[in-house]
Amino acid sequence: MLTATRTRVPTAATEPGKPHAVVIGSGFGGLAAAVRLGARGYRVTVLERLDAPGGRAYVFRRDGFTFDAGPTIVTAPFLFEELWKLCGRRLADDVELRPMEPFYRIRFNNGETFDCSGDAATMRAAVTRLSPGDVDGYEKFMRASEATYRVGFEKLGHVPFSSWRDMARAVPEMARLESYRTLYSLVSKYVKDERLRFVLSFHPLFVGGNPFTVTSIYGLITFLERQAGVHFAMGGTGRLVQGLVSLIEGQGGLVQCGQEVREIVVKDQRATGVVLASGQNIRADVVVSNADSAWTYRYLIPEHVRRRWTNRRIEKARYSMSLFVWYFGTRRQYADVPHHTILVGPRYRELLDDIFERKVLADDFSLYLHRPTATDPSLAPPGCDTFYVLSPVPHLGSGTDWRQRAEPYRQMLQKHLASTMLPDLEHQIVTSHMLTPQDFQDRLKSFRGAAFGLEPVLTQSAWFRPHNQSEDIDRLYLVGAGTHPGAGLPGVLSSARILDTVVPHANAIV
Ligand SMILES: Cc1cc2nc3c(=O)[nH]c(=O)nc-3n(C[C@H](O)[C@H](O)[C@H](O)COP(=O)(O)OP(=O)(O)OC[C@H]3O[C@@H](n4cnc5c(N)ncnc54)[C@H](O)[C@@H]3O)c2cc1C
């Protein structure tokens, strides 16, 4: 485990004369927010309930294996570089981001494979092999993806959407880009082959969105990957977490683990501090919550001071899918298994209907298999492999009792992996650990155990999403997956960047 080294007293950063910012939660959104607030003159205290920082990017070590619990695919590295630059440092001095080529392998249910590459010519050749009649349509889709990226990521990803006018200004461009369409429908307009439609439309699943309902704006991810690459942090994603913690400490800030916030103190509709589970009060000039947005409003702020994010609205909102993740180490290496593989199941739309709409735990699945030791063997003992396999499943609204279902579900995944990519798996496992939707709720405090916060549907995006500058409480700000622009590392780092626009500079705090 990352050791909980941040437990020294005092609980809050002390630097007289500087306004105090408290950040609740040390996910990537919270850590990035802390760096930005530190750079803007605040003394910053990050309060994290777990025993180590990172949130979904928590790192645990077992039997000599190192597991990144969550994110493994690093896109938009420039957003990390910006944070290092703010501190007068270079990301490359602290973390090696290794470009992945190919980005990942897609393995269809019949065993055929398709490698997604960052190189345009290689990708064109792969599309030609898969579906020669779709090459022109594919090129057109890539141009549409670029146009969406220029607007959706470069322009709108950093707009706070605090006012409906921001939304009104964005609508004409969004209409021009056909954002009213779902991503799958846009992809289908350009290409006919169902396998290629999968290749070009599955990306929103990385951020909790259903390609059959999510706005086609999420088609920008394909271009973002080509433009900025897909990377792996050598030593694991935890290196980025450690790097950010050291930036915060270098600024004089504190990252305090094992400190749960019980309540955000609100006086005259203004956030004035927090109360810890221990009962300790910490005063703050600004409070930033990186805890799940629904959880923040529902459980950390009394309902009588909330006008927009009432309990009823929170209950009625749609939440993203959850995940079942099985982490395991093997005593042998599977040298021909790539770093990132997506194993497509027999059903696409119907499976996602089960997960997102009907909320039933199906007997079939599509999986993401992570083998970091393909790139960095130091993450396992010599001759061994580190893995995790992730299966999208319904959130806790399904009523699934994961205490009963987890082990049979794990066995089902193990059997499938043994018969497809990891022969003899059942005899090779030396360490094993599971994360279920129940853990997303109980451990990470995610409403309904959703893995990616509010579902990214059009009616819950931009102005309709919980704002980065709270609509209800002055001097309260939100970052992370459940606020604008949304989940995924680029999304949560962008949410922190928006703070530069909406949080007053420390000099302006009275
Ligand atoms: C298994 C998995 C794989 C993923 N893979 C990728 C990937 O490859 N690439 C990618 O870009 N994205 C990926 N994602 C998505 C990405 O990891 C998340 O969207 C992102 O990390 C969420 O960051 P966040 O800022 O919202 O904070 P979180 O990571 O959600 O952290 C919030 C923190 O707040 C803390 N907290 C909550 N309540 C309190 C409280 N009351 N007091 C104190 N602390 C509190 C929690 O303990 C937690 O540490 C993945 C997600 C998962 C789950």
Side-chain angles (χ1 to χ4, degrees):
M1 298 214 175
L2 270 183
T3 43
T5 52
R6 330 278 167 218
T7 46
R8 59 194 141 113
V9 250
T11 317
T14 47
E15 220 179 319
K18 282 187 171 185
H20 188 209
V22 162
V23 179
I24 306 166
S26 68
F28 272 114
L31 294 175
V35 170
R36 288 185 174 277
L37 292 166
R40 301 181 80 230
Y42 287 88
R43 67 188 164 93
V44 181
T45 306
V46 180
L47 300 167
E48 167 57 56
R49 64 182 295 283
L50 297 178
D51 64 352
R56 276 147 173 82
Y58 188 92
V59 178
F60 62 96
R61 297 197 170 84
R62 284 226 171 139
D63 305 316
F65 295 82
T66 301
F67 295 97
D68 278 316
T72 59
I73 295 174
V74 179
T75 48
F78 51 89
L79 292 173
F80 282 103
E81 278 156 10
E82 242 179 68
L83 297 169
W84 261 257
K85 219 166 159 187
L86 280 173
C87 301
R89 287 165 61 175
R90 277 169 17 110
L91 170 66
D93 291 339
D94 291 338
V95 184
E96 183 196 345
L97 286 183
R98 179 80 55 93
M100 304 297 297
E101 183 52 43
F103 290 163
Y104 31 75
R105 171 163 296 168
I106 294 177
R107 182 189 184 283
F108 297 106
N109 201 39
N110 63 2
E112 268 182 293
T113 60
F114 182 96
D115 283 354
C116 287
S117 165
D119 177 66
T122 307
M123 221 19 213
R124 193 183 159 91
V127 171
T128 309
R129 277 193 301 279
L130 188 74
S131 176
D134 276 330
V135 175
D136 285 351
Y138 162 72
E139 297 288 2
K140 282 188 188 135
F141 172 76
M142 285 310 295
R143 285 198 286 279
S145 174
E146 176 172 0
T148 309
Y149 171 84
R150 301 284 172 218
V151 175
F153 191 88
E154 290 187 339
K155 270 168 97 173
L156 302 182
H158 313 298
V159 172
F161 284 98
S162 300
S163 132
W164 63 267
R165 285 187 210 88
D166 291 336
M167 194 74 196
R169 269 193 289 272
V171 165
E173 285 207 278
M174 287 168 70
R176 182 174 61 75
L177 296 166
E178 302 184 62
S179 308
Y180 48 84
R181 276 181 182 263
T182 68
L183 179 56
Y184 181 82
S185 130
L186 187 77
V187 166
S188 302
K189 183 180 131 179
Y190 290 111
V191 300
K192 302 265 171 307
D193 187 281
E194 279 304 329
R195 293 162 305 171
L196 192 54
R197 285 179 175 174
F198 180 91
V199 168
L200 299 178
S201 69
F202 77 92
H203 297 86
L205 288 165
F206 282 159
V207 292
N210 177 352
F212 292 91
T213 54
V214 84
T215 153
S216 61
I217 287 222
Y218 284 86
L220 67 80
I221 300 174
T222 315
F223 182 76
L224 167 68
E225 287 184 348
R226 175 176 290 180
Q227 167 94 341
V230 165
H231 304 264
F232 181 69
M234 295 303 282
T237 309
R239 286 284 164 86
L240 285 165
V241 173
Q242 285 171 339
L244 288 171
V245 169
S246 76
L247 292 185
I248 295 163
E249 291 178 341
Q251 290 172 319
L254 276 183
V255 179
Q256 296 282 8
C257 292
Q259 300 290 355
E260 175 157 2
V261 170
R262 190 175 70 200
E263 187 180 334
I264 296 171
V265 181
V266 178
K267 287 203 181 107
D268 302 327
Q269 291 304 121
R270 171 181 281 201
T272 59
V274 296
V275 184
L276 300 181
S278 64
Q280 186 185 346
N281 273 274
I282 299 180
R283 204 198 59 77
D285 298 283
V286 301
V287 175
V288 176
S289 181
N290 177 224
D292 176 46
S293 58
W295 196 279
T296 299
Y297 280 118
R298 178 69 180 76
Y299 297 114
L300 301 185
I301 300 173
E303 191 175 19
H304 70 270
V305 296
R306 292 185 264 129
R307 282 187 293 265
R308 182 167 167 82
W309 292 103
T310 58
N311 291 355
R312 187 160 174 273
R313 188 185 287 267
I314 292 165
E315 293 289 338
K316 274 181 63 188
R318 285 178 62 103
Y319 292 88
S320 76
M321 68 197 184
S322 194
L323 299 171
F324 175 90
V325 196
W326 175 35
Y327 310 86
F328 57 97
T330 56
R331 61 169 58 87
R332 60 159 280 198
Q333 282 178 334
Y334 290 89
D336 54 348
V337 174
H339 189 137
H340 303 292
T341 309
I342 289 147
L343 292 94
V344 184
R347 303 183 301 153
Y348 188 23
R349 183 196 294 260
E350 296 77 8
L351 176 64
L352 294 177
D353 266 356
D354 282 350
I355 295 172
F356 284 88
E357 307 300 331
R358 299 177 55 226
K359 301 197 176 50
V360 293
L361 184 63
D363 291 333
D364 59 333
F365 35 73
S366 282
L367 306 173
Y368 159 62
L369 180 67
H370 184 222
R371 179 178 169 247
T373 31
T375 306
D376 186 348
S378 76
L379 297 168
C384 300
D385 261 340
T386 295
F387 286 98
Y388 84 51
V389 63
L390 165 168
S391 177
V393 294
H395 63 53
L396 291 175
S398 70
T400 307
D401 180 353
W402 281 101
R403 278 164 299 224
Q404 302 286 332
R405 296 299 293 271
E407 179 53 21
Y409 198 81
R410 185 200 68 74
Q411 285 178 18
M412 199 163 69
L413 301 192
Q414 174 181 297
K415 200 166 158 210
H416 184 71
L417 291 173
S419 68
T420 50
M421 296 187 68
L422 307 176
D424 194 38
L425 179 59
E426 59 278 27
H427 301 116
Q428 300 300 328
I429 295 159
V430 282
T431 190
S432 168
H433 178 68
M434 292 179 270
L435 187 75
T436 74
Q438 196 64 48
D439 298 311
F440 279 94
Q441 179 176 277
D442 299 346
R443 185 177 155 79
L444 288 156
K445 304 293 172 195
S446 299
F447 201 75
R448 301 231 167 101
F452 304 89
L454 254 76
E455 188 182 343
V457 285
L458 197 56
T459 50
Q460 295 190 156
S461 297
W463 183 75
F464 298 109
R465 218 166 167 75
H467 296 179
N468 305 102
Q469 176 172 19
S470 171
E471 304 92 308
D472 285 333
I473 317 287
D474 193 22
R475 298 271 175 94
L476 172 67
Y477 304 89
L478 277 76
V479 291
T483 181
H484 173 68
L489 301 187
V492 304
L493 295 181
S494 296
S495 73
R497 178 145 85 167
I498 290 171
L499 295 193
D500 286 355
T501 314
V502 295
V503 178
H505 193 278
N507 294 339
I509 290 280
V510 281

